[in-house]
Amino acid sequence: WDKYHVRAVIGLFQFFIGLLLIFILLLIAGILGAVGEKKSQVWVKESLAKLLPLSDQKSEVQTDLQKLEVEAKCCGLINGPSDWGSTVPSSCDCVDTAQACQSANGRQVYSTPCVKFVTSFMEKNAIIALGIAFGIAVLMVRIQKFNLYNKASIDTLYYTQQSLY
């Protein structure tokens, strides 16, 4: 074996080890993400519960939440309109009769809390992220096969050259 052959083999081996480590990390992250879905939902609910009652929050937080309520056609965070206390904002007004509504302060408001929208949004994005991670893992396995093929090619080339001399 000459020094070029040794360098090529060492380089391919280092590349193999690097991709193997990344593959294992992606696999672990994917498994933890798939298994930890319920834990993340509990964490979201606990985090949002700290914001209650919503009427005591800063005006910026209330404005952002009201924008979410209009977009998601929901009201409140966890318990529905009661999260706002006695004054339910107009962002909760039920303008889409196909959605679940209830009466509050003489008005029809959405009864679905926004936590369902938030957790659903997180689940959809988690599925996409897991799909990308597993896609990358499959691609890495294909690269590893190519890597091993190149090592075999280098060995064949080396031994062919040795037999010519």
Side-chain angles (χ1 to χ4, degrees):
W1 285 28
D2 61 359
K3 64 181 179 179
Y4 298 111
H5 182 258
V6 171
R7 285 184 186 169
V9 170
I10 289 174
L12 286 173
F13 184 72
Q14 289 172 336
F15 183 70
F16 171 79
I17 295 298
L19 281 180
L20 184 65
L21 290 174
I22 293 171
F23 174 75
I24 291 170
L25 290 174
L26 277 173
L27 199 61
I28 290 170
I31 291 169
L32 289 177
V35 171
E37 181 180 335
K38 294 294 179 194
K39 288 182 182 180
S40 66
Q41 288 179 356
V42 170
W43 176 80
V44 167
K45 284 185 178 182
E46 289 174 355
S47 299
L48 293 177
K50 293 176 185 175
L51 297 172
L52 300 179
L54 298 175
S55 56
D56 292 347
Q57 291 300 315
K58 296 177 185 177
S59 63
E60 297 88 18
V61 174
Q62 289 183 8
T63 302
D64 289 342
L65 183 56
Q66 289 171 7
K67 288 178 185 176
L68 173 66
E69 288 172 335
V70 169
E71 181 183 332
K73 298 177 182 174
C74 58
C75 187
L77 285 176
I78 298 172
N79 306 311
S82 63
D83 291 345
W84 284 103
S86 60
T87 308
V88 180
S90 62
S91 59
C92 288
D93 288 349
C94 190
V95 293
D96 185 358
T97 55
Q99 300 293 322
C101 301
Q102 72 182 49
S103 181
N105 298 337
R107 304 182 349 239
Q108 285 293 103
V109 295
Y110 295 115
S111 59
T112 306
C114 293
V115 70
K116 291 182 181 179
F117 175 80
V118 172
T119 54
S120 172
F121 179 78
M122 289 178 62
E123 286 174 14
K124 287 177 187 173
N125 288 327
I127 289 170
I128 291 170
L130 285 174
I132 291 171
F134 283 119
I136 290 172
V138 168
L139 180 65
M140 291 174 69
V141 167
R142 306 280 288 179
I143 290 172
Q144 290 294 32
K145 284 183 179 179
F146 182 72
N147 186 12
L148 293 174
Y149 172 76
N150 280 344
K151 170 147 179 359
S153 296
I154 289 171
D155 288 343
T156 303
L157 180 64
Y158 176 75
Y159 292 118
T160 303
Q161 287 177 350
Q162 290 300 315
S163 65
L164 293 176
Y165 296 113

